[in-house]
Every structure is written in structure tokens, then in C-alpha cells.
């Protein structure tokens, strides 16, 4: 089964950093907008969440600090980076320090949404709801074990969620679920009586077999909201 398509690059790519776009069509019923992938930015102007390319690797800025200098001193910029390029070092964090005036190569990634269908081994089958084409996404595109467990669990939902695929050029880099999912409790066990009333929790299993700690009042058949960042209980529906 093919991987999700990406927008092809334009025939020519100007080097100017000004913003521009080009509308492209990819197959029947599929259209996308191409934004220039690279532009340069002073290190003092980048922000948390932006992506940069450095030494042929892609990084996300997870923390930004600008220490202003005294008198004639220029100060310093410190960035905490998380590597996005797929491979053995993906997810590793590093620190980059530089002086104001240093430019960084900021890159734009493309996001697309696909509807979850089912799991097949270590791959997730998804569908483009505009074209009804189906694609295969490696489970390793999800960055945490919580997300991997939850995406497998989501295939048991009456209406499975959409996942967001982030990719650059021809390479899919990551995939993520919505911030929360609504799941159904399949089994709920008795809590531990020694716990205080305010902290009493018990084990519960969702329809797909995922274990979630829930408050004592949650019972079999209840619908609960789970935080997809850490797999924790949020509230009862």
C-alpha cells in the first residue's frame, strides 16, 4: 500500500525569502498549496515550535531563550532543539548557542489529515477522505509509546479519529493524534481501599485492551476522555 502523496516541488525555486505560494494539483480530486520550503531568519526572531535545517538535519525548536547584553554587549541566543530527521538519532535533544545576527534556515513542513482505518502489523492504514485513497503509515512515525498504544486503541472506536501527518519534501517525519480521544471502558476493576478518597484510582481496560487508570466511580461501559500526550484519564463523558 503506498505512502501518502506529497506536493511536488515547483519547476523553479527562487532564492528570495519573501513569502509566496503556488497552487498545484496532484491526481484526481487532490489539490494542495505549495509554500516555499526555506527562508532565512535572524536567530533572535525564531520562536518555539518552528523548524530549522542545520547540517542537513531537521530540528524543532522546543525552547527559546534570548539573554540581552549589557551596554555594548550583544547578548546570546540559546535554543533547545529536538531532532526530527528519521533514523537512530530522531528525538534526541541538543543545545545551540549563537550571537544575535546569526541567521538560521527556517523550513516549512506540510500537514495533512487522514482518517484512521485499522492496524496491519506495525503499520497503520489510513484514508484520505477527499479522494478515498488509502495509505500505510509506519507506527514508528508516532513519537511516544502512549501515542502508539492509543492509535491502536482508536481503531476500535465507533468513529476513529483523524491523524495529522507532518512531512518535508518526500519524507514523512511524524504523525500525531488529536489532543484527546473518547474511549469506552470494557472492563473496570475494584480500587485499592487503602487509598485516600481524593486519590482512589483503579485499573480499567478499553475495548482494544489498553490499560488506563481511572477514578473509582468509572464503571464498565462508561465513556471517558483520555489525554493522548500521556494516556491519562481526563474526565468521564
Amino acid at each position: 500500500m503506498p505512502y501518502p502523496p506529497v506536493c511536488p516541488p515547483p519547476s523553479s525555486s527562487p532564492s528570495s525569502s519573501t513569502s509566496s505560494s503556488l497552487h498545484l494539483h496532484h491526481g484526481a480530486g487532490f489539490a494542495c498549496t505549495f509554500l516555499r520550503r526555506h527562508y532565512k531568519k535572524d536567530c533572535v526572531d525564531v520562536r518555539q515550535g518552528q523548524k530549522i535545517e542545520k547540517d542537513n538535519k531537521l530540528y524543532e525548536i522546543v525552547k527559546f531563550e534570548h539573554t540581552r547584553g549589557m551596554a555594548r554587549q550583544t547578548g546570546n541566543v540559546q535554543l533547545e532543539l529536538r531532532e526530527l530527521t528519521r533514523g537512530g538519532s530522531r528525538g534526541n535533544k541538543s543545545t545551540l548557542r549563537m550571537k544575535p545576527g546569526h541567521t538560521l534556515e527556517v523550513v516549512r513542513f506540510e500537514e495533512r489529515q487522514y482518517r484512521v482505518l485499522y492496524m496491519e502489523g506495525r503499520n497503520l492504514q489510513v484514508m484520505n477522505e477527499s479522494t478515498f485513497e488509502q495509505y500505510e503509515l509506519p507506527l514508528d512515525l508516532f513519537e511516544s509509546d502512549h501515542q502508539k498504544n492509543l492509535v491502536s486503541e482508536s481503531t476500535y472506536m465507533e468513529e476513529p479519529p483523524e491523524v495529522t501527518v507532518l512531512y518535508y519534501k518526500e519524507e514523512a517525519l511524524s504523525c500525531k493524534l488529536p489532543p484527546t480521544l473518547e474511549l469506552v471502558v470494557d472492563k473496570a476493576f475494584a480500587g485499592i481501599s487503602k487509598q485516600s478518597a481524593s486519590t482512589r484510582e483503579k485499573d480499567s481496560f478499553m475495548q482494544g485492551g489498553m490499560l488506563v487508570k481511572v477514578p473509582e466511580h468509572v464503571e464498565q461501559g462508561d465513556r471517558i476522555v483520555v489525554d493522548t500526550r500521556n494516556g491519562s484519564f481526563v474526565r468521564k463523558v
Side-chain angles (χ1 to χ4, degrees), residues 59-76:
Y59 299 89
E60 180 182 7
I61 300 171
V62 296
K63 190 175 182 180
F64 170 87
E65 291 183 2
H66 180 198
T67 305
R68 301 184 184 278
M70 301 293 290
R72 296 183 179 181
Q73 295 178 338
T74 58
N76 291 284

Side-chain angles (χ1 to χ4, degrees), residues 72-83:
R72 296 183 179 181
Q73 295 178 338
T74 58
N76 291 284
V77 171
Q78 179 171 301
L79 304 178
E80 184 178 326
L81 306 175
R82 180 172 62 87
E83 189 170 342

Side-chain angles (χ1 to χ4, degrees), residues 102-229:
H102 182 93
T103 58
L104 293 169
E105 194 79 12
V106 180
V107 297
R108 291 187 177 98
F109 290 173
E110 187 180 359
E111 288 187 351
R112 292 191 191 164
Q113 282 70 45
Y114 298 96
R115 181 68 62 183
V116 169
L117 295 178
Y118 58 92
M119 293 293 301
E120 189 171 284
R122 294 285 296 174
N123 296 313
L124 175 67
Q125 309 301 320
V126 297
M127 181 177 68
N128 181 327
E129 292 194 296
S130 298
T131 64
F132 301 104
E133 291 181 276
Q134 295 184 24
Y135 307 106
E136 187 173 85
L137 297 172
L139 196 58
D140 288 340
L141 287 179
F142 293 89
E143 295 178 0
S144 71
D145 289 338
H146 293 298
Q147 288 259 322
K148 292 173 185 177
N149 291 335
L150 279 164
V151 75
S152 179
E153 182 68 42
S154 72
T155 61
Y156 291 85
M157 296 172 62
E158 291 180 7
E159 185 177 346
E162 286 187 333
V163 292
T164 300
V165 182
L166 183 73
Y167 50 100
Y168 177 67
K169 294 182 179 177
E170 301 295 328
E171 182 181 19
L173 295 174
S174 67
C175 193
K176 63 181 179 181
L177 287 162
T180 60
L181 288 180
E182 186 177 308
L183 304 176
V184 177
V185 177
D186 186 52
K187 294 179 182 178
F189 300 94
I192 301 174
S193 59
K194 291 182 180 179
Q195 292 179 326
S196 64
S198 60
T199 61
R200 283 179 186 168
E201 289 184 328
K202 60 184 181 181
D203 291 342
S204 67
F205 286 93
M206 305 301 103
Q207 290 176 314
M210 182 177 175
L211 174 66
V212 179
K213 293 283 188 181
V214 298
E216 197 174 44
H217 65 271
V218 174
E219 300 295 342
Q220 181 178 348
D222 287 344
R223 291 182 177 273
I224 63 171
V225 175
V226 174
D227 188 328
T228 60
R229 294 171 301 176

